[in-house]
Amino acid sequence: MIGIFDSGIGGVTVFREILKELPNYQYLYYSDSFNNPYGDKSEEELKIITNNICKYLVNNGCKIIVIACNTASAICKDYLRDNFEIPIIAIEPAIKMVYDNSYDGKTLVLATKGTINSNKFKELYQKYDNHKSIIYECRGLADLIEQDKKKEIREYLIEHLINFKDMQNVVLGCTHYPLIKDEIKEVLGEVIFYDGSKGIVKELKRKIQDINLKEEEPKIIFWDSSHKLEKEKRFYQILELEK
Ligand code: DGL
């Protein structure tokens, strides 16, 4: 079994990519909507929260854990890797993808406060800055997406992104943001989106080989920490699967 977690429904955008390439495994998705948003939490709080989630995933038979949350990855991945013996794979904002594929493109990097203020993000940015990037902290946006507040999302994007109409690239540095690509395009027009999910799929394939995890009868288990039924409905909708 492979465990995946996020502060809610955002990590499903990562899980969706994983399932396309690795359908024949068993997955346990932990949606921590009770603690959403992670983006404004302190390092100490996040370490406690994510440590408990990893314990839960390990106790339920997971052999690999995927942190499908940029904030938790940036702040907690080293700590979690020190605490658990199984492989822990962590997503990161796709800044290197822009560096490799569109170095000359004006780029808007959107992420949470937690991600942007982390040392991991600063290191990544220093290494792969294309010198045409603007980093923008989207405080409260993941929360609106988690709650599926469509009207407020549109208003938020108009208020915050209207001055970035000249951007070519947009890095979606929070796993909730791929769920609102269409709404972002309504404000910015045609842009190229980059997110870390493709990279994480490659990394997961490598780890599966390393630990020789055999293919299994496919199975998906969904767990939401706030026990809200609509979360599970949304989970399957995003995956485009029937429950
Ligand atoms: N989806 C998360 C991320 O990738 C966290 C958003 C939040 O809870 O603030 O950063």
Side-chain angles (χ1 to χ4, degrees):
M1 176 112 65
I2 297 168
I4 303 176
F5 77 88
D6 176 46
S7 68
I9 218 75
V12 189
T13 61
V14 179
F15 184 33
R16 191 166 59 183
E17 297 305 316
I18 291 175
L19 268 185
K20 280 184 201 159
E21 303 250 350
L22 297 161
N24 296 322
Y25 287 92
Q26 300 195 341
Y27 295 96
L28 169 52
Y29 184 95
Y30 191 115
S31 151
D32 191 17
S33 64
F34 180 76
N35 288 307
N36 183 282
Y38 281 2
D40 296 333
K41 293 213 161 31
S42 71
E43 181 172 335
E44 279 324 300
E45 276 177 294
L46 271 188
K47 281 181 174 169
I48 295 168
I49 290 169
T50 57
N51 193 57
N52 285 335
I53 294 175
C54 288
K55 269 193 206 158
Y56 176 91
L57 294 173
V58 169
N59 290 340
N60 281 281
C62 295
K63 304 289 184 242
I64 301 179
I65 292 174
V66 177
I67 311 179
C69 168
N70 289 275
T71 312
S73 294
I75 297 173
C76 306
K77 72 176 169 195
D78 290 344
Y79 168 77
L80 296 172
R81 283 174 180 159
D82 287 344
N83 281 4
F84 294 88
E85 280 171 11
I86 64 169
I88 296 184
I89 299 170
I91 195 160
E92 64 180 19
I95 289 176
K96 182 176 182 301
M97 256 175 111
V98 170
Y99 185 90
D100 290 341
N101 297 296
S102 179
Y103 187 81
D104 291 324
K106 279 192 173 180
T107 303
L108 181 62
V109 180
L110 305 177
T112 66
K113 177 181 166 208
T115 297
I116 290 171
N117 289 340
S118 70
N119 290 333
K120 289 279 177 228
F121 180 82
K122 286 175 191 148
E123 281 164 24
L124 183 75
Y125 188 64
Q126 264 164 23
K127 207 163 158 193
Y128 298 113
D129 178 13
N130 70 351
H131 304 286
K132 286 164 214 75
S133 292
I134 293 171
I135 297 171
Y136 195 82
E137 178 191 316
C138 293
R139 185 175 289 199
L141 182 57
D143 197 10
L144 292 178
I145 299 168
E146 183 63 30
Q147 294 179 50
D148 207 11
K149 293 197 166 159
K150 294 191 169 57
K151 184 172 159 280
E152 286 85 346
I153 290 169
R154 284 202 160 82
E155 286 166 1
Y156 184 103
L157 293 175
I158 290 169
E159 185 187 337
H160 291 265
L161 302 190
I162 200 76
N163 293 326
F164 300 121
K165 276 178 177 280
D166 56 339
M167 293 290 146
Q168 249 172 279
N169 305 315
V170 176
V171 173
L172 302 169
C174 163
T175 57
H176 280 72
Y177 302 164
L179 294 170
I180 55 159
K181 279 183 184 174
D182 289 343
E183 290 81 352
I184 294 175
K185 277 189 180 181
E186 280 172 21
V187 181
L188 295 184
E190 273 311 310
V191 288
I192 302 170
F193 290 111
Y194 295 83
D195 69 67
S197 56
K198 295 269 186 299
I200 215 160
V201 174
K202 275 193 204 150
E203 184 62 12
L204 180 56
K205 282 184 180 169
R206 273 195 289 270
K207 286 290 179 237
I208 284 174
Q209 277 192 342
D210 287 353
I211 68 161
N212 200 16
L213 188 67
K214 297 271 179 290
E215 290 198 340
E216 304 157 290
E217 180 72 28
K219 185 174 170 184
I220 296 172
I221 302 171
F222 175 79
W223 170 255
D224 180 70
S225 58
S226 58
H227 312 294
K228 287 189 181 144
L229 274 179
E230 71 264 20
K231 296 284 176 192
E232 185 164 26
K233 199 168 152 222
R234 195 144 168 240
F235 172 77
Y236 285 102
Q237 259 170 10
I238 297 169
L239 291 179
E240 294 176 18
L241 289 176
E242 296 281 323
K243 165 100 198 336

